[in-house]
Amino acid sequence: MKIIKGYKFIQENMKSKEGDCTWKLGEWKKHEEIELCKSGFHACRTPLQSLNYIYGDKWFMVEARGKFKEKKGDKFVASEMRIVKEIDMKVIKWFAIACARQSLKYWDKKYPNDKRVFQAIEAAENYLNNPTKENLEALSAAESAAESAAESAAESAAES
């Protein structure tokens, strides 16, 4: 039987989005009827695709088998699935920081003297590398400053 690998989010209590399935690592779950977005076990082929469906606090690699339907480039549904490995949520945080760093050049081009967004990125990195109370406080202050910067930029754009 063909096994398909995928990625999905599950709630902290190990229940699925609808709460009708309690997951246990390595245990196959079965569902007879499958229909995308309605019935069966859903997941995505890639980690990036799964970020469109963050329905919980835990992120897993999964295996699926049995009946199968796919929405190309988005997600799939299968009649059988099991979670095989939890992915550390720090991965998403580091990914978000990397995306913010990639976008920073656009901010700097438009607002060359406003370093609040850069400082928020730096504070987030510092906290992930060293999660102390002091770094959390610095992150909170930098986050507020960056939010203020974004609001100012949005107001400026609306006035244009």
Side-chain angles (χ1 to χ4, degrees):
M1 185 178 285
K2 181 179 178 182
I3 292 182
I4 299 156
K5 297 195 182 293
Y7 301 85
K8 80 180 281 114
F9 285 87
I10 299 171
Q11 297 175 39
E12 185 71 33
N13 62 3
M14 296 301 286
K15 292 204 178 260
S16 60
K17 176 187 171 201
E18 302 298 326
D20 54 354
C21 178
T22 302
W23 295 91
K24 291 182 183 161
L25 199 63
E27 181 181 285
W28 284 100
K29 300 290 183 179
K30 294 182 182 183
H31 198 280
E32 290 303 316
E33 299 298 316
I34 64 168
E35 186 176 347
L36 275 165
C37 303
K38 292 186 179 176
S39 179
F41 301 112
H42 293 75
C44 295
R45 290 271 193 165
T46 70
L48 187 58
Q49 289 169 344
S50 72
L51 296 180
N52 291 315
Y53 301 98
I54 300 177
Y55 296 126
D57 308 295
K58 294 178 167 277
W59 195 19
F60 287 92
M61 291 188 337
V62 300
E63 293 180 338
R65 65 184 185 195
K67 293 185 252 175
F68 178 83
K69 292 181 184 175
E70 184 170 16
K71 182 177 177 186
K72 205 74 164 154
D74 187 33
K75 62 184 172 182
F76 65 85
V77 62
S79 60
E80 297 181 52
M81 187 175 288
R82 69 179 174 182
I83 57 174
V84 293
K85 181 180 180 184
E86 186 169 1
I87 302 168
D88 189 334
M89 291 298 279
K90 277 189 178 180
V91 171
I92 292 176
K93 295 171 185 174
W94 282 111
F95 178 70
I97 289 170
C99 291
R101 279 211 177 271
Q102 288 290 315
S103 301
L104 190 59
K105 60 187 171 197
Y106 303 108
W107 177 267
D108 288 344
K109 185 176 180 180
K110 183 143 179 129
Y111 308 101
N113 298 320
D114 190 340
K115 300 300 178 198
R116 293 177 288 183
V117 174
F118 170 77
Q119 291 164 347
I121 294 168
E122 291 285 305
E125 289 176 334
N126 288 339
Y127 180 73
L128 282 177
N129 283 323
N130 188 14
T132 64
K133 182 180 178 187
E134 293 79 20
N135 282 343
L136 180 59
E137 289 169 356
L139 174 59
S140 181
E143 180 182 22
S144 293
E147 188 175 312
S148 175
E151 287 172 2
S152 296
E155 288 172 10
S156 176
E159 291 172 0
S160 298

